[in-house]
Amino acid sequence: WYITGSYQPYMESGPVMNVLFVCTGNTCRSPMCEGYFRKLAREANTPAIRCASAGTCTCNGLPASRNSILVMQENGEDITGHTASVLSERLVSEADLIITMTASHRTAVLECFPEVREKIHLLNEFRSDSRRNTGVADPYGGSPDVYRNCFEEMKEPLRNLFLDVLNHTKTT
């Protein structure tokens, strides 16, 4: 595994790996993660990987931000149909792996659902450089370039995470 010794996803859902991405409003970072992860799964032609996203402080039904939609369109993925979801017991229990954007998101999830401690990680833990313990800054309200930079920061750890999950699904 990419994270030596600490990354042991649960496969409670059987042959399918369910990954949940969590940020604050579920309109910027986590929808971009979900969209890109879906694209990677589609390109790998694997139905064994599913993903969803949620927010720790949001309202159900909010659309993805205009700049998140733009950046994902530029990267070949359409997230125009995305609507925000409040982090819920159902989403958390269905997830085999929960990926948060910041340590404060991880803390918020664990305060509500302490039983998920073993399946929660920061996205940047999957980086290959020294920024593994950092959070992904919120681009909310920023220019398209702020969103592009945010997405570029998330791409490498998302690819590394995807390869880990893909390898795991092939060995189970």
Side-chain angles (χ1 to χ4, degrees):
W1 291 108
Y2 196 77
I3 306 276
T4 307
S6 66
Y7 175 56
Q8 296 297 322
Y10 292 120
M11 291 296 286
E12 295 166 356
S13 58
V16 174
M17 172 69 87
N18 289 302
V19 180
L20 177 64
F21 295 100
V22 178
C23 70
T24 306
N26 193 219
T27 60
C28 302
R29 291 168 290 183
S30 58
M32 289 194 290
C33 288
E34 179 184 359
Y36 188 61
F37 215 73
R38 285 183 199 275
K39 178 183 177 185
L40 293 172
R42 191 173 53 254
E43 289 173 351
N45 195 29
T46 179
I49 299 172
R50 295 187 189 145
C51 60
S53 61
T56 59
C57 186
T58 193
C59 298
N60 286 323
L62 295 174
S65 71
R66 181 181 69 244
N67 287 333
S68 291
I69 292 169
L70 171 70
V71 169
M72 293 313 298
Q73 286 173 337
E74 292 172 351
N75 286 275
E77 188 61 21
D78 182 6
I79 63 167
T80 56
H82 172 82
T83 57
S85 297
V86 174
L87 185 68
S88 67
E89 185 175 357
R90 180 187 62 80
L91 286 170
V92 167
S93 66
E94 289 175 357
D96 298 300
L97 191 57
I98 301 168
I99 305 298
T100 65
M101 301 299 112
T102 67
S104 63
H105 296 128
R106 180 174 52 200
T107 299
V109 173
L110 290 173
E111 284 176 354
C112 294
F113 309 101
E115 68 278 8
V116 302
R117 183 170 305 282
E118 298 301 316
K119 61 181 181 178
I120 191 167
H121 296 275
L122 286 174
L123 176 61
N124 276 345
E125 289 178 30
F126 295 88
R127 295 190 67 83
S128 60
D129 62 21
S130 62
R131 296 183 290 169
R132 291 177 73 176
N133 292 318
T134 63
V136 177
D138 193 348
Y140 181 76
S143 69
D145 282 338
V146 169
Y147 279 76
R148 286 181 189 106
N149 291 337
C150 177
F151 180 66
E152 286 303 315
E153 178 185 344
M154 295 187 300
K155 275 174 74 172
E156 186 221 357
L158 284 167
R159 281 191 305 261
N160 291 338
L161 169 63
F162 179 78
L163 291 173
D164 279 0
V165 170
L166 182 63
N167 288 333
H168 185 76
T169 60
K170 287 182 177 180
T171 59
T172 55

